[in-house]
Amino acid sequence: MLETLSSGFKNARERLQGVRELTEDNVADALKDVRASLLEADVDFGVVKDFIARVKGRALGGKVETRVKNAQGQTVRITPGQAFVKVCEEELVELMGPVDPSLSRKQGATSVMLVGLQGVGKTTVAAKLANHLKRESRKVLLVAADTQRPAAVLQLQQLGESIDVPVHVGGPGDEPPAICAAARERVQNEGFDAVVYDTAGRLAVDETLMEELAEIAARTEPANTLLVCDALMGRDAVNVAGAFAERLSLDGLVMTKLDGDSRGGAALAVKAVTGVPIKFLGTGETVDRLEPFRPEGLASRILGMGDVVGLVRDFEQVVDEKKAEEDAERLLQGQFGMDDLLTQLRTIQKMGPLKDILGKLPGMDSVADQVDEGEIKKVEAMIQSMTPGERKQPEVIDKSRATRIAKGSGRNAKDVTDLVGRFRQMREMMASLGGGGGGGLMSRIPGMNRLAGAGMPAGFDPSEMLGGGGDRKARRANAARARSQAKKKRKSAKNARRKGRKK
Ligand SMILES: Nc1nc2c(ncn2[C@@H]2O[C@H](COP(=O)(O)OP(=O)(O)OP(=O)(O)O)[C@@H](O)[C@H]2O)c(=O)[nH]1
Ligand SMILES: [Mg+2]
């Protein structure tokens, strides 16, 4: 997702690494990379030109802040390269924002009418929004107002069933405006407080489509009219948004299929060109893949700094905080069983595909492409084949037990002993990290302290999270250093235990 955009900023950042000041020359070089990737990602030409000019003006304007306050309120110096990234970040946010992703209410109900061309994801978004509203304990009605495509009604009914939301359908021969008007009455009579109208799409913006939509809008008076565009439309999204905005009063845009397209440049330009803000992003086919749009989050993802705020929000949705703290406490005391591991794995899975989660972590986007979702399933199956006693104390798993577990989970015995080995290593490491008193685990992970503050500190350099400069070599060296330190720690923990036994 958005790889094309990210690559330009990444190159720019690497170019500026180590420079002592921002000059005409090095800024021009860096901006060349940025410009090329913006254009390749299908960002509108005029928007690119403006953006580059603004960043250039600020980067060379002599006003670049090289002293910024970090999350702890201390003033720290940042490098010219970091200052450049900070200017880019602020300008990206400016370009896409400000955004209010909340949906308005009218006459007591949150009503949403979805419009857009064929196949962009309207029906999917209708279900996603209904699901989103339902999670906020709202009583939602979905309305099938697409009589164009024979299977459209059935599609919405199936989606509605999967999220347990009723779907209003018209009788034979009913026209979409009449169906929607009847649904509006039903909302009032039956005490619904949210309604989502799913309308038909056409291959191109045509007069019949526009008239039908205008009539539906007139008869339902939706509090929110949202245009759905997909990332694959590229620059066309901007033209389409313009055409719809001429006939309907659009409150916002939903950009779908950001997971399927590496360019996604329309997400950057559409607000600047049409004035219509993006309100939601669709990042997958399933009903839970909807994100309220935050320009800051997208900007940091584009700049390769991840989206920690978004990640925390995903996390909060699926995690019981008090339990998580208790778990962490036990984990750090080394009292951690296979059941806990299973719980953790399931929590992670609830947050969505592993690839997406890693993509939101600073500097992890390249790792995200390599993860094997199947691996989690295998581990789950093996843990499930263990007895409660084995889960609590995996040490008891000997060869014959491993063989039994392997049989039960369709793996081989070595997979099981490997898992147990890795698990014990992890537990030991956690115990040695947590045992030292003061601060605990989190404060010892480089950069975590700073992330714990209010959002990302200004001038935050994601490569610091990995312990060093942006280049791969340095990162590898750092990783090796970290591994050897961890090994030392494990060794000293082992020695300490041995001493303890001797006593
Ligand atoms: N990868 C991905 N696929 C999506 C997303 N949103 C929708 N889709 C897929 O896109 C296809 C079309 O989605 P629909 O919701 O039927 O689109 P529509 O706009 O209602 O289509 P019409 O009613 O025919 O105009 C389906 O296969 C969806 O699963 C998304 O965010 N990511
Ligand atoms: Mg549809």
Side-chain angles (χ1 to χ4, degrees):
M1 170 170 155
L2 303 169
E3 291 83 359
T4 312
L5 285 170
S6 312
S7 69
F9 287 103
K10 186 164 166 266
N11 290 345
R13 203 169 57 216
E14 275 168 14
R15 261 181 209 280
L16 291 174
Q17 207 152 50
V19 306
R20 301 184 54 184
E21 59 175 333
L22 296 175
T23 64
E24 280 287 337
D25 282 351
N26 60 30
V27 167
D29 278 347
L31 283 175
K32 234 182 248 162
D33 289 324
V34 173
R35 179 192 286 116
S37 76
L38 288 171
L39 288 173
E40 197 189 328
D42 251 350
V43 181
D44 178 89
F45 182 73
V47 171
V48 175
K49 216 174 131 198
D50 274 3
F51 178 82
I52 297 289
R54 293 178 67 104
V55 173
K56 187 172 173 188
R58 283 185 55 192
L60 296 173
K63 284 212 190 78
V64 175
E65 287 293 332
T66 50
R67 286 171 185 279
V68 295
K69 280 211 161 47
N70 69 9
Q72 279 88 46
Q74 300 153 331
T75 304
V76 291
R77 274 187 81 86
I78 57 174
T79 67
Q82 288 169 328
F84 176 84
V85 171
K86 185 164 168 271
V87 169
C88 288
E89 185 189 11
E90 286 168 5
E91 288 299 327
L92 280 174
V93 171
E94 177 80 24
L95 187 63
M96 296 185 281
V99 176
D100 173 12
S102 62
L103 295 167
S104 316
R105 281 190 194 221
K106 222 182 211 175
Q107 297 168 338
T110 304
S111 43
V112 184
M113 173 174 161
L114 295 170
V115 302
L117 297 184
Q118 203 171 62
V120 290
K122 294 177 296 301
T123 305
T124 310
V125 169
K128 286 177 176 180
L129 281 175
N131 190 42
H132 174 77
L133 288 161
K134 196 174 167 238
R135 275 199 190 159
E136 293 176 353
S137 312
R138 311 288 294 279
K139 193 178 169 203
V140 197
L141 181 66
L142 276 163
V143 184
D146 178 0
T147 51
Q148 285 288 313
R149 208 158 47 82
V153 174
L154 186 65
Q155 183 193 1
L156 193 66
Q157 280 175 319
Q158 281 168 347
L159 283 166
E161 203 168 304
S162 76
I163 53 172
D164 201 17
V165 168
V167 178
H168 179 87
V169 296
D174 284 355
E175 291 294 325
I179 297 172
C180 292
R184 184 188 186 184
E185 270 180 29
R186 195 173 152 193
V187 167
Q188 273 161 0
N189 297 339
E190 296 180 23
F192 287 98
D193 60 5
V195 54
V196 183
Y197 302 96
D198 175 34
T199 65
R202 301 284 198 289
L203 273 176
V205 181
D206 64 44
E207 193 46 38
T208 354
L209 169 70
M210 284 303 178
E211 257 165 36
E212 183 179 292
L213 294 176
E215 201 186 333
I216 294 176
R219 294 183 68 172
T220 56
E221 298 181 279
N224 310 272
T225 305
L226 303 183
L227 173 70
V228 182
C229 288
D230 69 24
L232 312 158
M233 288 165 72
R235 226 167 300 191
D236 275 346
V238 172
N239 305 332
V240 167
F244 275 83
E246 266 176 31
R247 295 293 301 269
L248 296 164
S249 88
L250 296 179
D251 300 291
L253 202 132
V254 184
M255 181 69 69
T256 63
K257 307 188 194 176
L258 270 178
D259 55 314
D261 188 87
S262 63
R263 293 163 304 161
L268 281 187
V270 78
K271 164 99 193 311
V273 181
T274 64
V276 183
I278 298 182
K279 291 219 173 200
F280 294 93
L281 302 179
T283 56
E285 294 194 64
T286 52
V287 287
D288 56 333
R289 309 309 298 156
L290 182 79
E291 298 182 16
F293 180 56
R294 288 184 315 106
E296 300 79 11
L298 200 67
S300 14
R301 261 189 265 176
I302 290 170
L303 290 169
M305 312 194 298
D307 177 10
V308 175
V309 179
L311 191 65
V312 169
R313 197 194 47 223
D314 290 352
F315 194 63
E316 280 168 355
Q317 276 189 4
V318 298
V319 162
D320 169 352
E321 203 175 316
K322 189 154 172 283
K323 178 156 187 318
E325 249 170 52
E326 287 166 9
D327 285 351
E329 194 58 38
R330 278 190 305 128
L331 180 102
L332 291 174
Q333 288 167 3
Q335 301 168 357
F336 189 70
M338 287 280 184
D339 271 325
D340 298 298
L341 181 61
L342 199 58
T343 312
Q344 303 289 338
L345 289 176
R346 290 199 173 137
T347 305
I348 291 172
Q349 281 177 308
K350 269 198 256 171
M351 286 168 68
L354 205 51
K355 197 169 167 256
D356 290 7
I357 301 172
L358 289 173
K360 287 183 186 169
L361 279 170
M364 293 295 268
D365 35 348
S366 54
V367 182
D369 290 333
Q370 299 161 15
V371 297
D372 178 5
E373 301 278 343
E375 204 55 42
I376 293 191
K377 289 257 173 314
K378 287 180 204 161
V379 171
E380 249 194 273
M382 286 190 273
I383 298 178
Q384 273 165 337
S385 295
M386 295 174 189
T387 65
E390 288 165 350
R391 293 186 199 185
K392 216 166 178 182
Q393 260 195 313
E395 293 77 11
V396 303
I397 298 175
D398 53 17
K399 231 181 190 161
S400 83
R401 282 174 188 255
T403 312
R404 193 204 78 238
I405 295 164
K407 243 186 214 153
S409 56
R411 317 293 329 155
N412 55 47
K414 187 168 177 310
D415 292 331
V416 178
T417 45
D418 280 354
L419 172 67
V420 173
R422 268 181 294 163
F423 178 83
R424 288 176 62 168
Q425 235 176 38
M426 178 178 97
R427 192 159 70 175
E428 272 177 26
M429 209 157 88
M430 288 295 171
S432 71
L433 281 172
L441 170 71
M442 282 318 240
S443 64
R444 295 173 195 224
I445 299 177
M448 269 317 192
N449 242 345
R450 308 205 302 155
L451 286 178
M456 200 81 77
F460 171 73
D461 179 359
S463 55
E464 281 177 22
M465 278 291 285
L466 302 172
D471 65 315
R472 202 170 279 182
K473 217 163 151 192
R475 231 178 277 165
R476 230 183 276 143
N478 274 307
R481 199 155 52 231
R483 271 198 302 276
S484 93
Q485 269 169 6
K487 203 168 161 190
K488 260 187 219 148
K489 249 186 197 149
R490 275 203 300 276
K491 215 168 173 184
S492 70
K494 223 175 189 170
N495 283 336
R497 270 198 307 282
R498 203 174 291 147
K499 267 190 207 143
R501 270 204 297 276
K502 271 187 193 152
K503 263 182 202 164

